[in-house]
Amino acid sequence: MSNASPDTLTGPAAALNTHRSGTRAMLARNAEAFVIPAAAVMVGLGAFSAFLMALNKSPLAFFRAIYFGGFGSAFSIDNSLTHASPLLLTALCVALPARLGLVIIGGEGALVLGGLAAASIALPLHGLPYFVVLLMMGIAGALVGGIWIGIVGALRYFRGVNETIASLLMAYIGIAVMNQLIEGPLRDPASLNKPSTYPIGDAYRIGDIPGMQVHWGLVAGLVACVLSWALIERTTWGFAARVSGSNIRAAQIQGLPVGKLILAFTFIAGAFAGLAGMIEVAAVQGDANASLASGYGYTGILVAFLARQNPLAIIPVAFMLGAIDASGSLLQRHMGLPDATVQVLQGILFVTILFSDTLYGRIKWLNPDLWTRAQS
Amino acid sequence: MTQAPRRAPSLETIGMSKTFGTLQALTDVSIKIASGSFHALLGENGAGKSTLVKCIMGFYQPSSGAILVDGAEADLGTPARAAALGLGMVYQHFTLVPSLTGAENLVISRADVGAVINWRAETRRLDAFMATMPFSVPLDVPTGQLAAGQKQKLEILKQLYLGRRFLILDEPTSVLTPDEAHDVLGLLRAMTVAGDLTVLMISHKFHEVTAFADEVSVLRKGVFVGTGKTTDLSAADMASMMIGDATLAVMDHRASVATEAEPTLLMQAITAPDRTGLKTISIANLAVRPGEIVGIAGIAGNGQKELLEILAGQRPMVSGTIRVQGGTYSATREDARHHHVRFIPEEPLQNACAPRMSVAENLALHIFDVDKNGKNILWLDRARIKQHARTLIEAFKVKTASLASPITALSGGNVQRAVLARELTGEVDLLIVANPCFGLDFSAVAEIRARIMQARNAGTAVLLISEDLDELFELSDRILVMSSGEIVFETPIGTADVSIIGSHMAGHH
């Protein structure tokens, strides 16, 4: 009997259909991930142009300004990269849990608390070697950020609390805690107009990459993206996380440790955002102050969604949005547009990208599975 | 509401075709359903039955062809027009609002009901309507409290109340016990005999077709294959019309069960909350021996899903023990791997696959985290995952465009085949299966049942949870009945009686 059953199937033997698994098919599958977001961005830019024209502004002039502000010179490229650097890390704070099916939008809270923790631990360590202090600051930032978002994961897993709302509310709490501390117990009395912690000291600042006006935090962000990609796509942990994110019931019935995965991934995600805060303190601000909460955590959400939660795709997307951020002041000065115009553009892009999500698998020349539609 | 009861309409389709893109779903289908007849429509999954009835009901526009109602060409462009001609449909699943009473459900289903409802007048008219009906259902309790058979009767009453005299029933008995099914179909039959109603019933249960329908029409791959009187056709004739010349997998002979063997699975004194959290699932004693299939019968929602979840570790127990091969079983991945426990839950795409991942990755769910020697690994062995998938796809003849295709690109039968390939490859000592044949065609069903029997004969202990009594009778060595979260009845297959099992399923112990 065991030999008989394979012969009794409907239809012909099931050789792999080579015409749908060849090079062309592979190219099509890979092209889908570029073509659809690119088309969505074009549609978004078109809609934004209509918005500008309604304001009697020239879209062309606008995009020229962005080009010059973001990419036009070595200085502006460095400026864009500086803006992109924290976005790499805050986007990972969204992308990693997203692969587990969790929508976490509270990276801002982990960033400010991570920055605050890094600034506060630097003071008592004064006098120790540079790398020790920097390492301790990094650990403190990552740990606090990780715990902050890890709490969100724990609430989700153990109590069923919606992680999106929880992370957003926790972000508000995190910002409030930071403001409370820098205006109270941790305030440097010398910071009069802008409440801040004591400066970490010039000896412990993160410097620039040689030959550029961009700090080393950019490298940390790039490394984090590559490591995250490897974690998700190449390790068994990442595989288990992708199964859980795709179908939690299938993961449970296979006995995969869904709870541990949620805790681990939310912790790592928060740690990256906390690290972003530490880098902002050590490389940009020099102390922890209210400028930490300048929206990198929220722009990171946009970056992660534009990159479709793929850590490698985060790199170019973060650079693009960093450029848009960087050209904000230029737009204000040259075109008389309010600062918020950039946010309108980002919002429109966000919406078109979200809409484009429904197109995956439906466009025939990008999906080999539709090429010869079999009936069964 | 209600026009005076009209005569039951006749209906005819002439040369009806329907294409979706490149897919030809119906080709030149001509079916004649006489006034006052009880007509059965048979066909495998994907044969075009639901496309045909959706064209009749005005949900789809046929690409070509015509529909005659009472001999006159009818324009059934929208569901509303089909309804105006007295055509109605009863679906497989209930469409009643559970929190409303029967009377409320009936009245709100009318298209002409105003913003303010005069309940006194409506009730009076409902009473008058019910007096003309051959059966009744309590109309003053929320429909959620009615038994399945009564709900199905109410669905039929709703169509009659709306003045529909041509009813299409889509597998109307799939959620009923055998007795309830008999009751409902008998009432419909009586109404057709009296000339009050014409029925077109989609079914896959030959015994129901033979017992209640006058005529049967068969579709295969979108083509009308034939029609005939049920008195002239045997079940074998109908089956061969449906599947054409395809041959079905042959079932192994049953090897004898070693009744004295140590049970592979032993569940004792188990209690756990059910899905609603209001009731308790309680399994006093359930044993499955090696080389034995134990079937669990029961109407959906009587604790079978919870039983599966307890075994899969998805539902914490309040008390009790599960032992597998003599050792305590805690449903972790390590335990399942060590004791060779495998699960095939119902609707595998929803419950056993990661839809966004590829066929190869889905086939690797057991092996991705270990190397050839069973040691845990950190880095994925992608070559091994591909090789494993290729082997399984060949052995089980899974039809897929490529290993990189997402599993959702596969047809239902092929998803089920892929899951079977994954779960039945390697050593399997305990197999837990739930409704493995839902929505699959004949040949896939025959193949899957043959594979389960094959595993049983090779010494696997099988726990089979199924809502299909025919399946349980075909496969089981023992049948247990689950009702209200408890096992209320047990019988060896030799002395099993479908009516006794049915009455236990319905809660009469």
Side-chain angles (χ1 to χ4, degrees):
Chain A
M1 152 72 214
S2 61
N3 301 328
S5 60
D7 303 326
T8 55
L9 294 167
T10 38
L16 289 181
N17 186 335
T18 47
H19 128 83
R20 282 193 281 168
S21 55
T23 319
R24 220 188 116 206
M26 201 190 78
L27 281 177
R29 275 184 214 284
N30 289 324
E32 188 178 52
F34 294 100
V35 173
I36 291 179
V41 167
M42 295 313 289
V43 170
L45 293 180
F48 181 69
S49 300
F51 167 76
L52 285 179
M53 287 194 284
L55 294 177
N56 254 334
K57 301 281 179 186
S58 154
L60 266 181
F62 182 88
F63 293 122
R64 266 171 62 90
I66 288 204
Y67 174 76
F68 283 114
F71 315 96
S73 63
F75 170 78
S76 54
I77 288 179
D78 283 355
N79 196 9
S80 302
L81 288 173
T82 307
H83 278 89
S85 154
L87 294 180
L88 294 170
L89 291 166
T90 55
L92 287 175
C93 182
V94 180
L96 287 174
R99 298 303 286 271
L100 260 167
L102 303 180
V103 181
I104 291 208
I105 59 173
E108 187 90 352
L111 184 146
V112 298
L113 290 181
L116 185 67
S120 354
I121 204 168
L123 293 178
L125 299 178
H126 264 233
L128 289 175
Y130 176 71
F131 282 107
V132 174
V133 175
L134 220 57
L135 187 69
M136 292 312 290
M137 285 174 71
I139 289 175
L143 199 63
V144 169
I147 289 171
W148 198 249
I149 301 295
I151 290 173
V152 174
L155 283 171
R156 162 89 252 182
Y157 182 67
F158 294 111
R159 308 299 317 157
V161 178
N162 180 302
E163 77 282 359
T164 312
I165 301 298
S167 65
L168 182 66
L169 297 182
M170 296 255 308
Y172 293 139
I173 296 172
I175 295 167
V177 166
M178 176 195 66
N179 284 330
Q180 168 70 28
L181 291 178
I182 61 176
E183 285 171 25
L186 296 180
R187 181 172 187 169
D188 174 6
S191 61
L192 296 174
N193 299 324
K194 189 176 186 185
S196 312
T197 57
Y198 288 95
I200 59 171
D202 286 345
Y204 300 112
R205 298 285 293 268
I206 294 178
D208 284 351
I209 303 168
M212 299 174 85
Q213 294 181 333
V214 186
H215 57 77
W216 283 98
L218 178 68
V219 176
L222 294 175
V223 169
C225 283
V226 173
L227 285 180
S228 298
W229 174 83
L231 170 70
I232 288 173
E233 301 293 338
R234 291 289 182 265
T235 69
T236 54
W237 275 79
F239 190 100
R242 284 187 283 141
V243 174
S244 313
S246 185
N247 187 350
I248 192 162
R249 288 185 301 278
Q252 286 173 330
I253 217 164
Q254 293 291 341
L256 297 177
V258 177
K260 279 185 202 163
L261 286 168
I262 288 178
L263 293 182
F265 270 65
T266 48
F267 179 86
I268 296 171
F272 282 141
L275 193 62
M278 171 266 179
I279 291 170
E280 279 302 288
V281 166
V284 181
Q285 307 285 347
D287 53 39
N289 61 61
S291 299
L292 279 178
S294 60
Y296 285 124
Y298 299 124
T299 311
I301 304 165
L302 177 58
V303 174
F305 274 83
L306 282 168
R308 298 201 78 232
Q309 326 295 356
N310 177 339
L312 285 187
I314 283 175
I315 296 171
V317 173
F319 179 56
M320 191 180 89
L321 286 179
I324 294 177
D325 267 353
S327 51
S329 58
L330 198 67
L331 291 171
Q332 223 169 338
R333 275 182 277 128
H334 284 243
M335 294 189 64
L337 285 168
D339 218 14
T341 317
V342 169
Q343 285 168 14
V344 173
L345 173 59
Q346 291 181 346
I348 289 177
L349 287 178
F350 193 53
V351 170
T352 52
I353 285 285
L354 284 184
F355 274 130
S356 77
D357 225 40
T358 60
L359 294 177
Y360 286 86
R362 292 195 182 180
I363 296 174
K364 192 168 177 186
W365 55 276
L366 292 173
N367 183 0
D369 292 315
L370 299 178
W371 287 355
T372 47
R373 186 188 266 278
Q375 247 199 297
S376 68
Chain B
M1 72 169 218
T2 67
Q3 308 85 327
R6 286 180 306 199
R7 215 178 65 82
S10 69
L11 188 137
E12 188 177 350
T13 70
I14 300 173
M16 196 187 300
S17 297
K18 175 71 184 170
T19 53
F20 296 100
T22 57
L23 181 79
Q24 179 95 23
L26 285 179
T27 313
D28 198 21
V29 172
S30 301
I31 288 182
K32 209 170 180 171
I33 300 148
S35 164
S37 67
F38 195 125
H39 201 103
L41 183 60
L42 289 173
E44 297 235 62
N45 254 18
K49 300 175 309 253
S50 49
T51 308
L52 178 70
V53 301
K54 280 179 181 164
C55 285
I56 294 174
M57 289 305 299
F59 289 113
Y60 289 160
Q61 302 307 308
S63 309
S64 63
I67 298 176
L68 306 186
V69 176
D70 279 333
E73 184 158 344
D75 173 16
L76 300 178
T78 64
R81 277 188 228 154
L85 282 164
L87 311 183
M89 179 140 179
V90 174
Y91 296 89
Q92 197 171 356
H93 297 286
F94 301 123
T95 60
L96 300 165
V97 182
S99 57
L100 298 184
T101 66
E104 287 165 338
N105 266 289
L106 290 182
V107 171
I108 60 158
S109 67
R110 257 169 39 211
D112 63 353
V113 62
V116 178
I117 299 175
N118 180 349
W119 280 106
R120 188 171 301 187
E122 292 294 350
T123 312
R124 214 164 35 235
R125 272 187 280 173
L126 265 179
D127 288 343
F129 163 74
M130 291 298 283
T132 66
M133 288 292 114
F135 56 99
S136 71
V137 174
L139 291 181
D140 49 358
V141 292
T143 55
Q145 296 174 12
L146 296 176
Q150 296 208 303
K151 282 187 209 165
Q152 194 63 291
K153 283 187 201 168
L154 190 55
E155 294 275 3
I156 291 165
L157 278 177
K158 184 168 101 182
Q159 296 299 321
L160 298 172
Y161 172 75
L162 296 172
R164 317 277 167 81
R165 285 291 179 273
F166 182 99
L167 288 194
I168 297 172
L169 303 152
D170 184 4
E171 301 197 10
T173 60
S174 57
V175 287
L176 306 184
T177 65
D179 283 345
E180 286 174 329
H182 202 272
D183 186 20
V184 169
L185 294 179
L187 291 167
L188 288 170
R189 167 88 200 157
M191 291 186 76
T192 60
V193 170
D196 294 333
L197 190 65
T198 311
V199 169
L200 175 62
M201 176 175 77
I202 297 176
S203 179
H204 62 271
K205 295 178 181 166
F206 291 140
H207 58 86
E208 286 179 356
V209 172
T210 309
F212 295 101
D214 313 306
E215 280 186 310
V216 53
S217 292
V218 180
L219 294 179
R220 183 167 77 232
K221 292 181 179 158
V223 179
F224 175 68
V225 186
T227 186
K229 296 230 173 293
T230 48
T231 45
D232 302 337
L233 294 168
S234 68
D237 295 333
M238 291 189 261
S240 70
M241 283 165 84
M242 285 167 70
I243 61 172
D245 43 16
T247 44
L248 298 182
V250 190
M251 186 88 77
D252 261 5
H253 288 296
R254 216 171 257 280
S256 59
V257 183
T259 44
E260 72 289 349
E262 274 296 302
T264 305
L265 170 68
L266 186 61
M267 299 178 82
Q268 282 176 316
I270 292 196
T271 56
D274 78 342
R275 293 205 159 185
T276 61
L278 302 174
K279 287 183 269 182
T280 303
I281 306 296
S282 152
I283 309 284
N285 189 8
L286 172 61
V288 187
R289 293 183 184 81
E292 180 188 42
I293 300 179
V294 172
I296 306 274
I299 301 166
N302 274 278
Q304 302 96 313
K305 274 199 178 134
E306 287 86 348
L307 172 61
L308 183 85
E309 287 170 348
I310 290 170
L311 285 166
Q314 291 166 291
R315 179 167 295 276
M317 297 184 289
V318 175
S319 64
T321 52
I322 304 176
R323 302 179 86 78
V324 173
Q325 295 173 326
T328 308
Y329 184 76
S330 54
T332 60
R333 192 168 173 81
E334 288 67 33
D335 268 7
R337 189 172 273 154
H338 180 246
H339 294 290
H340 308 116
V341 180
R342 299 289 175 88
F343 288 91
I344 305 176
E346 64 187 27
E347 299 182 274
L349 192 60
Q350 278 79 48
N351 296 309
C353 293
R356 286 199 294 275
M357 296 172 78
S358 73
V359 173
E361 288 173 321
N362 270 286
L363 287 171
L365 290 191
H366 285 302
I367 58 125
F368 75 90
D369 55 349
V370 286
D371 65 9
K372 285 194 190 77
N373 308 317
K375 278 214 168 125
N376 285 319
I377 53 174
L378 175 63
W379 295 98
L380 289 177
D381 184 346
R382 300 201 305 148
R384 177 160 176 252
I385 287 175
K386 266 193 187 160
Q387 188 47 48
H388 179 76
R390 219 171 266 129
T391 318
L392 262 53
I393 283 173
E394 258 166 49
F396 281 72
K397 308 237 167 182
V398 182
K399 275 187 261 175
T400 172
S402 84
L403 296 176
S405 300
I407 189 116
T408 41
L410 270 55
S411 69
N414 278 305
V415 171
Q416 183 64 285
R417 222 169 260 153
V419 170
L420 277 176
R422 186 179 77 205
E423 302 300 331
L424 293 182
T425 300
E427 202 175 318
V428 185
D429 289 332
L430 175 60
L431 179 65
I432 294 152
V433 194
N435 294 312
C437 299
F438 257 7
L440 299 183
D441 62 24
F442 264 114
S443 40
V445 166
E447 182 201 344
I448 285 164
R449 291 184 185 163
R451 295 234 186 233
I452 293 173
M453 184 59 81
Q454 206 179 314
R456 166 203 182 274
N457 285 349
T460 303
V462 181
L463 183 67
L464 171 66
I465 300 170
S466 179
E467 284 160 37
D468 181 347
L469 279 179
D470 296 341
E471 177 167 80
L472 290 169
F473 272 81
E474 190 178 344
L475 291 174
S476 309
D477 297 291
R478 278 187 292 144
I479 294 183
L480 277 52
V481 177
M482 227 177 152
S483 174
S484 304
E486 291 177 41
I487 289 169
V488 294
F489 182 68
E490 174 177 347
T491 172
I493 194 70
T495 56
D497 178 326
V498 73
S499 62
I500 295 174
I501 289 177
S503 76
H504 283 289
M505 283 164 69
H508 312 298
H509 316 301

